[in-house]
Amino acid sequence: MGFFSDFTGSSARSDLKKANKQATADLTSGYNASQGYYDQAASSYDPYVSTGTQANQAYADLLGLNGTDARDTAQGVITSDPLWSGKLGEDTNAVLKNLNARGMGASGAAALAGQRVLAQDYGSVLDRYMNLGNQGLTATGQKAGVLTGQGDNAYGFGATKANQDLGYGNAVAQTRNTGINNVLAVLGTGAKAIGAYNGVKA
């Protein structure tokens, strides 16, 4: 650009426009990259959130909170597991052997002991569901924290961009009177020169 563009402020506005465009590109690039990392961090909790949600649902079903049909279905899942039936059988046999050794195999105490073993093993299963549900709750809270950070990041991007645009607008506005100011300065300088010249001549 030539002298006239510098004189009128046109070159300054052009430089400001280029700088603003580059700043916007850099800001947008950084924002998009950071949002991608937030998405990646949040999604890493998804398996734990999903499993915890399922465990919490099963736990509620087993407690009968969702009706008898849901409870029966959940109990069927447990009792159909060979590991469950094997563990229950082992624990029950151990108690009965002890009672048989004392001549109490067919007593009411044996039946009560069997019920206690069942309740104990069933309670252990409930505890596992509860623990898994708590793990999901923790993961949900951590994911919520990441998403909150992502929201703050988006707000920060918007605020930064707004400030950038405002600064750009103000800077451009300041160049609008450059040409007039320069003309006035030239005229003022000329007037002083003429005055000085006339004064010397006089």
Side-chain angles (χ1 to χ4, degrees):
M1 294 188 178
F3 170 79
F4 184 75
S5 295
D6 292 337
F7 187 81
T8 61
S10 175
S11 59
R13 288 191 292 276
S14 178
D15 290 341
L16 286 170
K17 183 177 181 180
K18 289 178 182 178
N20 185 65
K21 182 178 181 181
Q22 183 60 52
T24 297
D26 292 341
L27 181 61
T28 301
S29 176
Y31 169 75
N32 290 336
S34 67
Q35 290 295 91
Y37 287 121
Y38 275 112
D39 290 338
Q40 185 177 357
S43 65
S44 67
Y45 291 107
D46 287 346
Y48 303 97
V49 172
S50 177
T51 301
T53 300
Q54 293 173 345
N56 189 61
Q57 177 69 41
Y59 185 74
D61 289 346
L62 289 169
L63 293 178
L65 299 179
N66 298 314
T68 56
D69 289 342
R71 183 188 61 199
D72 292 344
T73 299
Q75 288 176 341
V77 171
I78 294 175
T79 56
S80 65
D81 186 348
L83 293 177
W84 156 264
S85 57
K87 178 70 166 57
L88 178 62
E90 289 177 2
D91 292 344
T92 302
N93 287 336
V95 170
L96 291 178
K97 283 181 181 179
N98 182 276
L99 291 172
N100 283 335
R102 292 185 289 168
M104 301 174 62
S107 66
L112 182 60
Q115 286 296 318
R116 286 177 179 169
V117 168
L118 175 62
Q120 179 180 334
D121 286 0
Y122 192 74
S124 295
V125 173
L126 286 175
D127 288 343
R128 290 174 184 172
Y129 278 112
M130 182 177 66
N131 291 336
L132 196 56
N134 288 336
Q135 176 181 286
L137 177 61
T138 299
T140 300
Q142 291 171 334
K143 180 176 181 178
V146 173
L147 294 176
T148 298
Q150 189 174 27
D152 291 341
N153 182 54
Y155 173 80
F157 170 77
T160 301
K161 187 66 178 67
N163 287 333
Q164 175 192 325
D165 290 340
L166 182 61
Y168 171 67
N170 289 335
V172 169
Q174 290 175 5
T175 68
R176 295 298 181 188
N177 295 326
T178 299
I180 294 174
N181 292 335
N182 286 338
V183 168
L184 293 176
V186 169
L187 292 175
T189 301
K192 288 180 182 180
I194 292 172
Y197 176 78
N198 290 333
V200 171
K201 186 177 180 179

